[in-house]
Amino acid sequence: MILTAAASQVTQAQGRPQLVVQSFFDEPTNTASYVVHDPATLRAAIIDSVLDFDAAAGRTDTTSADAIIAHVRAAGLTVDWLLETHAHADHLSAAPYLQAALGGTLAIGREILRVQEVFGKIFNEGTDFARDGADFDRLFDDGDQFAIGSIPAIALHVPGHTPADMAYVIGDAVFTGDTLFMPDYGSARADFPGGDARQLYRSIRRLLTLPVETRLFLCHDYKAAGRDRYVWETTVGAQRTGNVHVHDGVEEDAFVAMRTARDATLSMPKLILPSIQVNMRGGHLPEPAANGTRYLQIPLNVL
């Protein structure tokens, strides 16, 4: 029923003002962030923003977020939503900084509660860390409907990469988070705590039942071998015919075997420990210690 609603929304969008998508690519983390808006109302959402972080110096910077703010203001947009597809393991979210400047409702999937529980233990967070999603303004359930101005949107739960991944179907476009990469690169890893390759396959195939012309906007690109530029937009049709991991005809067991073997060769993302620690809090940095300094923890020999 939810997929039928999402597919119907995409079909209906063909005769309506098309969602305007402006991307911002952060090469140090290979992350694509988006400002999307309804041209009829100038209402907007920001998806998967980046807070710049120099891990060696332990220093944050807002250059990437400031570029988003400048775009929103120059285009005369009103931000209604700050959408996170999941608690990212490769970059820090700038959502609180953007919210302070532009407003909007900060939202993520309800399964963030599982992520908070798991990583609350890994980081030995005490009772001061609420594992109830309170750092976010809205927790989406699968199939929840909302809107960007006059353009309808649906939140879809697409677990596998993590238990909390969401995809956002907005008009004729889908923001897939870390489920899919470009067809020549394949799919996301599924070996983080709570990840599941079988769930990932089913989530991907669910998205690929949408109309073939549906635009897909990805959260990352890493330049597949033989490609000399970054790309983060594709279509359902291109994924179904050309994705090297999950094109039409690839069976679930084959995908799980491939994904499991491939994941066993991957090292952890460089920023996973600071990223998860911040992103499970909705992008809020840990509270300052008694000396006024904020600290991130590095649990040893855990991941």
Side-chain angles (χ1 to χ4, degrees):
M1 181 177 179
I2 292 169
L3 247 295
T4 301
S8 175
Q9 172 184 304
V10 171
T11 301
Q12 291 171 8
Q14 305 308 313
R16 306 181 60 178
Q18 191 176 55
L19 184 75
V20 177
V21 180
Q22 177 63 53
S23 60
F24 297 80
F25 190 73
D26 179 60
E27 189 168 349
T29 63
N30 297 92
T31 301
S33 303
Y34 301 96
V35 176
V36 305
H37 77 268
D38 172 15
T41 64
L42 299 183
R43 313 300 291 199
I46 299 170
I47 304 172
D48 289 337
S49 61
V50 172
L51 180 69
D52 303 306
F53 181 61
D54 181 343
R59 185 173 296 278
T60 61
D61 185 82
T62 60
T63 300
S64 294
D66 288 336
I68 287 177
I69 292 171
H71 169 75
V72 167
R73 290 176 173 165
L77 306 179
T78 299
V79 174
D80 290 332
W81 294 96
L82 299 116
L83 303 174
E84 298 288 338
T85 55
H86 62 295
H88 306 274
D90 38 37
H91 70 271
L92 280 63
S93 170
Y97 177 78
L98 292 169
Q99 188 177 46
L102 301 171
T105 297
L106 174 57
I108 199 168
R110 184 172 299 280
E111 290 301 306
I112 188 64
L113 303 183
R114 287 181 59 191
V115 174
Q116 290 179 329
E117 184 63 30
V118 169
F119 280 94
K121 293 176 181 176
I122 288 175
F123 291 114
N124 196 32
E125 298 285 355
T127 56
D128 288 343
F129 174 54
R131 295 159 172 82
D132 59 0
D135 288 305
F136 300 87
D137 303 316
R138 172 77 180 270
L139 300 181
F140 283 123
D141 291 307
D142 186 43
D144 277 354
Q145 300 186 30
F146 60 108
I148 310 298
S150 63
I151 299 178
I154 299 177
L156 298 180
H157 185 214
V158 286
H161 173 62
T162 79
D165 281 62
M166 301 298 289
Y168 298 108
V169 182
I170 307 174
D172 69 324
V174 183
F175 299 85
T176 66
D178 284 14
T179 52
L180 282 164
F181 297 140
M182 290 299 293
D184 58 359
Y185 202 87
S187 60
R189 65 194 297 166
D191 61 333
F192 294 153
D196 185 296
R198 200 166 294 278
Q199 280 191 327
L200 179 62
Y201 176 88
R202 295 171 184 176
S203 293
I204 291 171
R205 296 310 307 180
R206 182 187 191 199
L207 291 175
L208 297 187
T209 64
L210 291 166
V212 293
E213 66 273 15
T214 305
R215 296 184 292 164
L216 301 182
F217 292 92
L218 317 178
C219 192
H220 298 288
D221 186 55
Y222 300 96
K223 284 188 193 173
R227 177 154 51 84
D228 62 1
R229 65 190 181 96
Y230 293 109
V231 187
W232 46 86
E233 179 182 353
T234 182
T235 66
V236 165
Q239 294 284 13
R240 290 184 60 175
T241 59
N243 188 287
V244 294
H245 292 168
V246 287
H247 58 78
D248 287 355
V250 174
E251 298 295 333
E252 183 174 315
D253 287 345
F255 174 83
V256 170
M258 176 282 301
R259 190 68 264 170
T260 302
R262 184 178 176 88
D263 288 350
T265 70
L266 302 177
S267 58
M268 285 289 107
K270 291 184 296 183
L271 296 182
I272 185 170
L273 293 175
S275 294
I276 296 292
Q277 213 166 148
V278 169
N279 295 338
M280 70 181 185
R281 292 178 164 88
H284 298 280
L285 299 176
E287 290 299 316
N291 64 357
T293 300
R294 301 177 191 270
Y295 291 90
L296 294 169
Q297 300 186 69
I298 305 296
L300 300 178
N301 305 316
V302 175
L303 297 183

